[in-house]
């Protein structure tokens, strides 16, 4: 139990630093940046206290907001995917979720991609709606959400594979 | 009452989610309003100092470029001194009205619609809101938040930014804004349709606001067209500054600002 708490705390801090000082300096094609800090929300233990999980997600988003001067956009997007996460877990992992026996590390790759992609898409759409905050710029919202969403998905999958410990 | 409490307790995750989402949403809408986000921004002590540490590491990578830039500026200033004596007196005059302070950029962004720059200078160095920020090549923005050690600049690459500017040749003036599309091109709005504009004309600050002195370069005319009501020009201006690569900037302090403001309080 303690090791889970420890690894999540370390992940929380490292992801914030990695996001602010590396990912936000990438600027592919001028404005495409990955938002890999949501890996914390994606990989949070399935067996959890939902109230504290939602609260941690909010804090994570708010810290990112303070560094990036984006008001509360990241906080709103993070807290939404934290709240809606169970629906997507059930959708992509099916019965494994019912038994609360999901291991992200040794789940099927396709299930993992679907789960990551759906949550990233929702997160990025909410994020860019709040960042752009202009009803007449729908094209910009969708194109930015999709382009950095693909980038985020790619990086989260790589990072998750790199740092997962294989239990044999 | 008991039932109400039970209801809240049963749905506590939903209630918490709604409250937190509402809080985040309120902060977002306030941050889109000019001058309201006092607490949560990158000029505060903690995030400001962390940005400072990382940018001081990044400093070393740009030394060569910075040297060339300084050499160019020195060269320009020296050529001014050697070529005309009257200009020297003008610069002295300039020194009296405006005080310039050099500083470093800690954090810069250009990929959003509302971009801010954090500077390594603050109230302790006499920096206040509404001071202008320039580089040797052109304008950067206006300071909108300060803490004791750091200051946040509303970049010209911010859809909320509004700066007075004019066409250098004809003195027709307008407001400089940004449409959020290209980080090299900003828009000069509200130019009279009588104005003669040519592609390649230089755009400079107008000196009407107290923030910037007159004739600080901004950019050149890239293209222009009439606006929707067909009576004013919208001019696309290509910036002299590379806003993606800022290190050394100058903060401008107008020493007469109090006097000017008592004279004309409505003008900003």
């Amino acid at each position: 139990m303690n090791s889970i708490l420890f690894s999540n705390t370390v992940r929380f801090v490292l992801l914030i630093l990695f996001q602010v000082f590396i990912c936000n300096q990438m600027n592919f094609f001028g404005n495409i940046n990955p938002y890999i800090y949501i890996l914390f929300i994606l990989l949070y233990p399935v067996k959890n206290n939902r109230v504290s999980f939602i609260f941690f997600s909010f804090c994570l988003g708010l810290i990112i907001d303070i560094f990036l001067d984006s008001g509360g956009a990241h906080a709103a997007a993070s807290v939404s995917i934290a709240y809606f996460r169970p629906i997507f877990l059930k959708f992509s992992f099916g019965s494994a979720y019912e038994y609360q026996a999901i291991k992200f590390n040794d789940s099927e790759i396709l299930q993992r991609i679907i789960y990551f992609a759906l949550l990233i898409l929702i997160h990025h759409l909410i994020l860019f709606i709040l960042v752009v905050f202009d009803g007449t710029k729908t094209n910009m919202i969708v194109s930015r959400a999709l382009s950095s969403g693909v980038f985020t998905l790619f990086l989260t999958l790589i990072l998750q594979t790199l740092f997962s410990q294989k239990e044999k | 009452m008991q039932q109400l409490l039970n209801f809240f307790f049963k749905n506590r995750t939903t209630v918490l989610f709604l409250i937190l989402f509402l809080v985040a949403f309120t902060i977002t809408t306030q941050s889109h309003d000019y001058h309201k986000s006092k607490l949560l921004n990158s000029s505060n002590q903690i995030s400001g100092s962390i940005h400072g540490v990382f940018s001081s590491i990044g400093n070393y990578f740009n030394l060569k470029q910075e040297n060339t830039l300084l050499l160019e500026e020195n060269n320009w200033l020296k050529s001014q001194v050697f070529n005309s004596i009257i200009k020297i007196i003008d610069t002295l005059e300039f020194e009296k009205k405006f005080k310039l302070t050099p500083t470093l950029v800690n954090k810069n962004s250009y990929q959003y619609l509302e971009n801010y720059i954090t500077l390594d200078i603050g109230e302790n160095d006499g920096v206040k809101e509404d001071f202008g920020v320039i580089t040797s090549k052109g304008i950067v923005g206006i300071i909108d938040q300060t803490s004791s050690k750091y200051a946040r600049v509303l970049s010209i690459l911010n859809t909320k930014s509004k700066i007075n500017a004019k066409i250098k040749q004809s003195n027709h003036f307008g407001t400089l804004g940004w449409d959020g599309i290209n980080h090299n091109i900003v828009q000069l709005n509200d130019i009279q349709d009588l104005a003669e504009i040519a592609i390649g004309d230089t755009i400079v600050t107008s000196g009407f606001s107290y923030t910037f002195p007159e004739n600080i370069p901004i950019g050149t005319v890239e293209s222009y067209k009439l606006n929707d009501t067909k009576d004013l020009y919208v001019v696309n201006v290509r910036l002299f500054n590379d806003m993606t690569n800022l290190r050394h900037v100058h903060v401008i302090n107008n020493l007469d600002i109090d006097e000017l403001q008592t004279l004309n309080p409505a003008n900003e």
Side-chain angles (χ1 to χ4, degrees):
Chain A
M1 190 61 210
N2 265 332
S3 78
I4 292 175
L5 183 74
F6 178 72
S7 67
N8 273 293
T9 317
V10 171
R11 199 184 282 155
F12 188 88
V13 177
L14 283 184
L15 280 176
I16 288 174
L17 293 178
F18 195 63
Q19 176 66 47
V20 176
F21 298 108
I22 296 172
C23 289
N24 271 88
Q25 316 295 329
M26 288 185 173
N27 299 321
F28 276 99
F29 303 112
N31 53 27
I32 302 174
N33 279 331
Y35 294 98
I36 53 103
Y37 70 91
I38 60 170
L39 204 56
F40 173 80
I41 302 167
L42 295 177
L43 296 182
Y44 198 82
V46 177
K47 228 186 240 178
N48 60 36
N49 177 353
R50 280 194 74 199
V51 174
S52 56
F53 173 47
I54 288 176
F55 186 70
F56 288 148
S57 305
F58 178 77
C59 293
L60 175 70
L62 201 64
I63 293 171
I64 299 283
D65 276 325
I66 293 171
F67 276 108
L68 303 184
D69 282 308
S70 48
H74 287 279
S78 306
V79 86
S80 315
I81 58 165
Y83 179 72
F84 292 116
R85 195 177 82 140
I87 301 172
F88 293 97
L89 279 171
K90 206 180 281 176
F91 177 77
S92 26
F93 293 100
S95 57
Y97 173 68
E98 305 284 336
Y99 302 117
Q100 302 215 317
I102 302 172
K103 288 246 161 54
F104 291 112
N105 295 337
D106 41 52
S107 58
E108 269 181 52
I109 184 82
L110 187 69
Q111 287 182 332
R112 208 189 310 157
I113 292 178
I114 291 173
Y115 165 64
F116 277 21
L118 284 173
L119 277 186
I120 288 171
L121 182 70
I122 290 179
H123 175 272
H124 281 45
L125 275 178
I126 297 173
L127 175 68
F128 281 102
I129 288 171
L130 289 175
V131 166
V132 175
F133 216 64
D134 188 341
T136 58
K137 288 181 176 151
T138 330
N139 277 340
M140 189 186 250
I141 294 173
V142 175
S143 70
R144 287 202 179 181
L146 285 181
S147 50
S148 45
V150 170
F151 199 5
T152 310
L153 178 65
F154 187 65
L155 264 186
T156 44
L157 284 172
I158 288 180
L159 278 179
Q160 204 261 327
T161 325
L162 267 181
F163 289 102
S164 65
Q165 298 126 348
K166 277 272 179 310
E167 288 161 32
K168 281 179 185 171
Chain B
M1 190 64 197
Q2 186 68 38
Q3 275 182 332
L4 197 70
L5 282 177
N6 273 340
F7 173 78
F8 276 126
F9 192 72
K10 228 185 266 169
N11 298 307
R12 61 186 185 279
T13 48
T14 315
V15 172
L16 182 74
F17 163 67
L18 287 176
I19 291 172
L20 291 180
F21 189 84
L22 213 70
V23 169
F25 188 77
T26 322
I27 302 172
T28 314
T29 45
Q30 283 201 341
S31 83
H32 285 280
D33 263 341
Y34 192 65
H35 272 189
K36 269 196 181 160
S37 51
K38 284 281 173 212
L39 186 65
L40 301 171
N41 63 60
S42 61
S43 74
N44 78 41
Q45 293 303 332
I46 300 162
S47 61
S49 61
I50 297 175
H51 272 303
V53 169
F54 278 82
S55 96
S56 63
I57 298 168
N59 270 345
Y60 293 99
F61 297 107
N62 296 329
L63 283 179
K64 207 170 177 183
Q65 255 171 328
E66 286 304 326
N67 269 335
T68 348
L69 227 105
L70 285 174
L71 206 69
E72 270 172 27
E73 195 183 5
N74 272 338
N75 190 37
W76 182 79
L77 290 171
K78 275 199 177 123
S79 72
Q80 291 247 311
V81 173
F82 292 148
N83 287 328
S84 121
I85 302 162
I86 305 158
K87 272 277 154 66
I88 303 172
I89 299 165
D90 268 351
T91 25
L92 285 175
E93 198 77 17
F94 178 85
E95 283 277 316
K96 276 181 201 161
K97 273 172 74 181
F98 296 96
K99 189 183 141 206
L100 269 78
T101 324
T103 183
L104 286 172
V105 170
N106 269 357
K107 178 220 147 201
N108 181 16
S109 78
Y110 50 88
Q111 67 267 40
Y112 307 114
L113 289 182
E114 285 166 13
N115 294 301
Y116 297 95
I117 298 162
T118 316
L119 300 183
D120 197 24
I121 194 170
E123 282 155 19
N124 292 352
D125 312 280
V127 170
K128 287 192 206 117
E129 258 176 49
D130 293 335
F131 283 12
V133 180
I134 59 168
T135 69
S136 51
K137 286 187 176 169
I139 64 168
V140 171
I142 297 175
I143 288 176
D144 84 321
Q145 299 278 334
T146 50
S147 66
S148 58
K149 281 190 198 155
Y150 305 98
R152 188 176 80 161
V153 181
L154 188 82
S155 164
I156 46 171
L157 297 186
N158 187 316
T159 46
K160 287 187 290 189
S161 157
K162 278 195 174 64
I163 293 170
N164 262 312
K166 67 176 185 187
I167 300 166
K168 199 176 183 182
Q169 275 87 344
S170 63
N171 278 334
H172 283 282
F173 60 88
T175 340
L176 199 74
W178 188 50
D179 61 2
I181 292 170
N182 186 326
H183 55 251
N184 284 319
I185 294 179
V186 294
Q187 280 69 38
L188 182 61
N189 301 306
D190 308 339
I191 292 273
Q192 279 293 327
D193 60 347
L194 301 165
E196 284 174 20
I197 309 172
I199 286 169
D201 275 358
T202 311
I203 307 289
V204 294
T205 53
S206 66
F208 291 158
S209 74
Y210 308 142
T211 312
F212 292 107
E214 207 180 341
N215 287 332
I216 291 181
I218 295 171
T220 53
V221 175
E222 172 94 357
S223 64
Y224 58 94
K225 60 170 196 290
L226 282 172
N227 69 354
D228 298 339
T229 49
K230 302 283 177 209
D231 55 346
L232 297 165
Y233 278 120
V234 177
V235 182
N236 283 322
V237 181
R238 179 167 287 274
L239 293 170
F240 288 130
N241 254 338
D242 180 5
M243 292 296 288
T244 62
N245 186 10
L246 296 172
R247 286 306 312 166
H248 291 266
V249 294
H250 305 273
V251 177
I252 303 181
N253 175 10
N254 187 341
L255 297 173
D256 293 341
I257 195 156
D258 293 333
E259 200 179 330
L260 286 165
Q261 258 163 4
T262 41
L263 205 64
N264 191 357
N267 195 341
E268 275 196 36

